[in-house]
Short mmCIF file of all heavy atoms in Angstrom, two decimals:
data_model
loop_
_atom_site.label_atom_id
_atom_site.label_comp_id
_atom_site.label_asym_id
_atom_site.label_seq_id
_atom_site.Cartn_x
_atom_site.Cartn_y
_atom_site.Cartn_z
N LEU A 143 106.38 111.83 102.71
CA LEU A 143 105.02 112.00 102.20
C LEU A 143 104.55 113.42 102.39
O LEU A 143 103.94 114.03 101.51
CB LEU A 143 104.07 111.01 102.89
CG LEU A 143 104.11 109.57 102.36
CD1 LEU A 143 105.39 108.86 102.77
CD2 LEU A 143 102.88 108.77 102.92
N VAL A 171 103.40 114.07 86.53
CA VAL A 171 102.62 115.01 85.74
C VAL A 171 102.09 114.32 84.54
O VAL A 171 102.53 113.17 84.21
CB VAL A 171 103.51 116.22 85.26
CG1 VAL A 171 103.93 117.07 86.45
CG2 VAL A 171 104.66 115.73 84.43
N CYS A 264 97.02 111.23 95.84
CA CYS A 264 97.83 110.07 95.51
C CYS A 264 97.27 109.31 94.35
O CYS A 264 96.16 108.74 94.40
CB CYS A 264 97.93 109.14 96.75
SG CYS A 264 98.94 107.69 96.48
N PRO A 276 111.29 93.84 99.47
CA PRO A 276 112.59 93.28 99.81
C PRO A 276 112.53 91.77 99.87
O PRO A 276 111.50 91.20 100.26
CB PRO A 276 112.87 93.91 101.18
CG PRO A 276 112.07 95.14 101.21
CD PRO A 276 110.83 94.88 100.45
#
Side-chain angles (χ1 to χ4, degrees):
L143 282 70
V171 294
C264 182

